[in-house]
């Protein structure tokens, strides 16, 4: 056989194969579209059944061909619902075998399946999944770990607080995701959070301080005060922020001492973010004893002076509110009247001017 | 029986809310975008509108403002049903003309009660 003949045969085979390949591709595409349409139709058929089952969960069987469609609908609905309907929907999924399947799915070899299962279990608030999801915080896939942490937050079981904090310490899950999960778990995890304030890990201490502040766990105030001199910058600021949010007046003397100390330290070791956080927190707590140190801060950098002006203004506005003053009609008048009356005239004018500047575009350019 | 318009781009939410309200004997009209909601408000004369904020074409807030500027539609009470939960969002919702504001995740039973209460208030 000559080379020419071999080439001709190859060309013939190719010319016969190509149309077949195109036909096969077209068939695959059509079949995928048909399956997708059939599934959409099944979802449409299943939707009224799911809705009816919310009022009478035991009367409708959603296993069988409606099962997968019911899972799709439930996964979309569950995060948007609360109350009895959410509980009924979760019960329906448990009885229909979807939640048991999802719990098994947490051990799937496919990351997408593990993630989907975690999402469904979290949305359903399925406490039986807590242990499985806690193990997933060490998953090899980062997205799966983040999803597991979010799911644990939605479930709200306080038993998941320690594994979440371990995942935070080992940097397996982001601080933001862990914080959000801890906030969702809420005061049920208060004991574990208070213990975490004394953790060896600065990441854990910082997140624990922020969370205790946001949750209003006043019993943790003495431990948070100890963190004001923490070796870690982020932890110190989180502790200050937490005390401000908690608004406990007994924390004021400690915050004042820290701010006074910051205002006299040499410029090389001066921590402006920390000082600014102290000023803001003193303003949030609103004790009059903080006024002198806030006045002192007015003489510092633009960032500190504007924070101090805002803090003094906030204190004045709150006092004005308490006194049931009439609402004021002009910006200038509001600014000058919202400054606490204990201040000297000179300081009152200074604060009013700084607040006005910080509220105008020109004022923002001063930095 | 009252005519209630529900506008939400999430079909599951529309189905759920309309199922709950239909079970209470209301006639429910469903739309999945802002333009459709505004058109339905003009043609169907609903007695109350349940409106999502984030919708294609026109947002729920824009629909609210459009309803307020049309004298024929301005009196229809609107309940905003949205995932936007910030204080500023709630203020914007009421400023745009909403009569009530419900944050997702929500309880469909509570929504049905609020619809009932608002319809009772309007009818008196």
């Amino acid at each position: 056989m000559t080379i020419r003949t071999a080439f001709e045969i190859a060309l013939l085979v190719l010319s016969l194969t190509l149309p077949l390949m195109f036909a096969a591709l077209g068939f695959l595409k059509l079949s995928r579209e048909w399956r997708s349409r059939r599934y959409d139709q099944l979802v449409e058929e299943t939707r009224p059944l799911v809705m009816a089952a919310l009022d009478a969960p035991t009367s409708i069987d959603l296993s069988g061909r409606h099962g997968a469609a019911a899972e799709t609908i439930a996964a979309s609905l569950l995060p948007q619902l609360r109350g009895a309907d959410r509980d009924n929907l979760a019960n329906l999924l448990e009885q229909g075998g979807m939640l048991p399947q999802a719990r098994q799915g947490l051990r799937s070899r496919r990351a997408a399946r593990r993630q989907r299962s975690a999402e469904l279990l979290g949305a359903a608030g399925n406490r039986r999944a807590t242990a499985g999801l806690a193990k997933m915080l060490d998953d090899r896939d980062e997205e799966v770990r983040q999803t597991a942490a979010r799911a644990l937050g939605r479930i709200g079981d306080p038993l998941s607080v320690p594994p979440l904090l371990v995942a935070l310490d080992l940097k397996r899950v982001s601080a933001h995701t862990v914080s959000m999960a801890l906030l969702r778990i809420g005061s049920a995890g208060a004991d574990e959070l208070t213990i975490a304030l004394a953790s060896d890990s600065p990441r854990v201490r910082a997140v624990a301080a922020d969370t205790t502040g946001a949750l209003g766990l006043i019993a943790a105030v003495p431990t948070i005060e100890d963190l004001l001199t923490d070796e870690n910058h982020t932890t110190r600021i989180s502790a200050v922020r937490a005390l401000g949010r908690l608004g406990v007046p007994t924390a004021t003397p400690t915050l004042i001492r820290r701010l006074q100390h910051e205002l006299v330290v040499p410029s090389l070791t001066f921590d402006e973010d920390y000082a600014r956080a102290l000023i803001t927190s003193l303003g949030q707590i609103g004790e009059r004893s903080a006024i002198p140190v806030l006045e002192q801060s007015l003489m510092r950098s633009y960032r500190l002076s504007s924070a101090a002006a805002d803090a003094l203004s906030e204190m004045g506005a709150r006092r004005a509110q308490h006194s049931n003053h009439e609402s004021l009609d002009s910006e200038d008048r509001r600014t000058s009247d919202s400054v606490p009356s204990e201040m000297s005239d000179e300081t009152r004018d200074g604060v009013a001017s700084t607040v006005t500047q910080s509220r105008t575009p020109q004022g923002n350019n001063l930095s | 029986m009252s005519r209630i318009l529900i506008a939400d781009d999430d079909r599951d939410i529309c189905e759920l809310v309309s199922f709950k309200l239909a079970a209470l004997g209301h006639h429910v009209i469903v739309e999945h975008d802002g333009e459709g909601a505004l058109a339905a408000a003009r043609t169907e004369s609903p007695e109350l509108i349940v409106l999502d904020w984030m919708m294609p074409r026109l947002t729920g807030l824009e629909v609210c403002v459009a309803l307020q500027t049309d004298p024929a539609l301005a009196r229809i009470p609107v309940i905003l049903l949205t995932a936007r939960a910030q204080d500023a969002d709630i203020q914007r919702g009421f400023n745009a003309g909403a009569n009530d504001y419900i944050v997702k995740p929500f309880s469909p039973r509570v929504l049905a009660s609020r619809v009932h209460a608002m319809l009772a208030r309007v009818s008196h």
Side-chain angles (χ1 to χ4, degrees), chain B residues 55-117:
Chain B
M55 283 191 294
R57 298 207 180 126
L58 281 180
T59 67
L61 221 58
E62 288 166 335
V63 173
C64 257
V65 172
L67 290 171
Q68 291 300 306
T69 51
D70 186 334
L73 307 175
R75 298 180 78 177
I76 304 174
V78 174
I79 299 179
L80 269 177
L81 176 64
T82 171
R84 301 182 70 136
Q86 301 285 323
D87 287 354
D89 294 327
I90 298 172
Q91 279 178 321
R92 280 179 69 195
F94 281 113
N95 288 343
N99 300 80
D100 200 354
Y101 195 104
I102 297 179
V103 176
K104 292 176 188 170
F106 72 107
S107 161
R109 290 160 202 240
V110 172
L111 170 66
S113 300
R114 291 199 183 191
V115 165
H116 186 72

Side-chain angles (χ1 to χ4, degrees), chain A residues 166-350:
Chain A
V166 170
L168 172 71
D169 181 26
L170 299 175
K171 298 188 179 173
R172 304 295 282 164
V173 182
S174 75
H176 175 74
T177 306
V178 171
S179 296
M180 293 308 291
L182 293 172
L183 280 174
R184 275 179 175 263
I185 293 168
S187 52
D191 292 344
E192 296 293 347
L193 279 174
T194 310
I195 294 168
L197 289 169
S199 161
D200 289 339
S201 159
R203 277 167 69 82
V204 171
R205 291 198 299 274
V207 166
D210 267 328
T211 314
T212 44
L215 290 174
L217 304 177
I218 289 171
V221 167
T223 322
I224 299 173
E225 280 181 354
D226 291 342
L227 296 180
L228 289 175
T229 50
D230 196 279
E231 60 190 14
N232 180 272
H233 170 83
T234 314
T235 308
R236 284 198 302 274
I237 290 181
S238 294
V240 174
R241 223 166 23 211
L243 291 172
R245 279 183 180 153
L246 287 165
V248 178
T250 53
T252 304
T254 317
L255 291 172
I256 290 173
R257 268 199 307 279
R258 292 314 318 158
L259 182 56
Q260 279 169 337
H261 179 263
E262 275 306 307
L263 294 178
V264 296
V265 295
S267 58
L268 277 177
T269 53
F270 174 64
D271 183 345
E272 191 178 50
D273 291 337
Y274 180 54
R276 202 160 186 266
L278 286 163
I279 290 168
T280 305
S281 289
L282 283 168
Q284 283 173 322
I285 296 173
E287 283 292 288
R288 290 180 198 181
S289 54
I291 290 174
V293 75
L294 291 175
E295 284 182 338
Q296 252 180 288
S297 309
L298 287 170
M299 311 303 155
R300 303 298 293 250
S301 67
Y302 174 72
R303 284 187 75 218
L304 287 197
S305 62
S306 60
D310 283 343
L312 288 163
S313 172
E314 190 181 342
M315 288 165 74
R318 210 176 299 139
R319 286 198 58 215
Q321 213 172 12
H322 284 310
S323 311
N324 200 17
H325 281 174
E326 286 177 16
S327 60
L328 303 168
D329 51 4
S330 81
E331 178 74 5
D332 287 342
R333 204 170 152 219
R334 183 165 74 86
T335 304
S336 60
D337 283 10
S338 64
V339 176
S341 56
E342 286 82 352
M343 280 187 257
S344 62
D345 289 344
E346 197 181 328
T347 310
R348 280 170 65 83
D349 293 345

Side-chain angles (χ1 to χ4, degrees), chain A residues 55-81:
Chain A
D55 281 342
T58 50
S59 64
I60 290 162
D61 179 18
L62 283 176
S63 54
R65 74 189 193 101
H66 289 296
E71 191 180 319
T72 304
I73 296 164
S76 146
L77 267 181
L78 276 169
Q80 306 193 68
L81 296 184

Side-chain angles (χ1 to χ4, degrees), chain A residues 47-48 51-52 54-55 73 76-77 79-82 84-85 88, chain B residues 10-13 15-16 19-20 23 103-109:
Chain A
R47 199 174 274 128
M51 303 308 157
L54 288 180
D55 281 342
I73 296 164
S76 146
L77 267 181
Q80 306 193 68
L81 296 184
R82 68 166 85 231
D85 288 301
N88 285 351
Chain B
D10 185 326
R11 284 167 197 274
D12 292 323
I13 289 291
E15 182 79 25
L16 175 61
F19 178 84
K20 291 279 178 192
V103 176
K104 292 176 188 170
F106 72 107
S107 161
R109 290 160 202 240

Side-chain angles (χ1 to χ4, degrees), chain A residues 136-190:
Chain A
M136 283 175 78
L137 294 172
D138 197 30
D139 196 280
R140 59 184 176 276
D141 186 284
E142 190 190 340
E143 279 299 311
V144 174
R145 294 197 298 271
Q146 295 283 119
T147 307
R150 280 194 290 268
L152 285 168
R154 280 187 173 154
I155 292 171
D157 189 338
L159 289 176
S160 55
V161 174
L164 280 167
L165 293 172
V166 170
L168 172 71
D169 181 26
L170 299 175
K171 298 188 179 173
R172 304 295 282 164
V173 182
S174 75
H176 175 74
T177 306
V178 171
S179 296
M180 293 308 291
L182 293 172
L183 280 174
R184 275 179 175 263
I185 293 168
S187 52

Side-chain angles (χ1 to χ4, degrees), chain A residues 4-63:
Chain A
R4 190 179 163 186
T5 317
F7 180 73
E8 280 172 356
I9 290 170
L11 207 63
L12 186 69
V13 170
L14 199 65
S15 63
L16 287 172
T17 316
L18 269 178
L20 280 175
M21 276 173 62
F22 280 124
L25 281 174
F27 175 75
L28 277 175
K29 193 180 171 202
L30 278 175
S31 134
R32 205 175 297 137
E33 278 174 11
W34 181 76
R35 275 205 306 271
S36 163
R37 267 205 302 273
R38 283 253 324 187
Y39 188 72
D40 289 346
Q41 204 180 333
L42 188 62
V43 169
E44 291 299 321
E45 281 172 26
T46 311
R47 199 174 274 128
L49 294 177
V50 173
M51 303 308 157
L54 288 180
D55 281 342
T58 50
S59 64
I60 290 162
D61 179 18
L62 283 176
S63 54

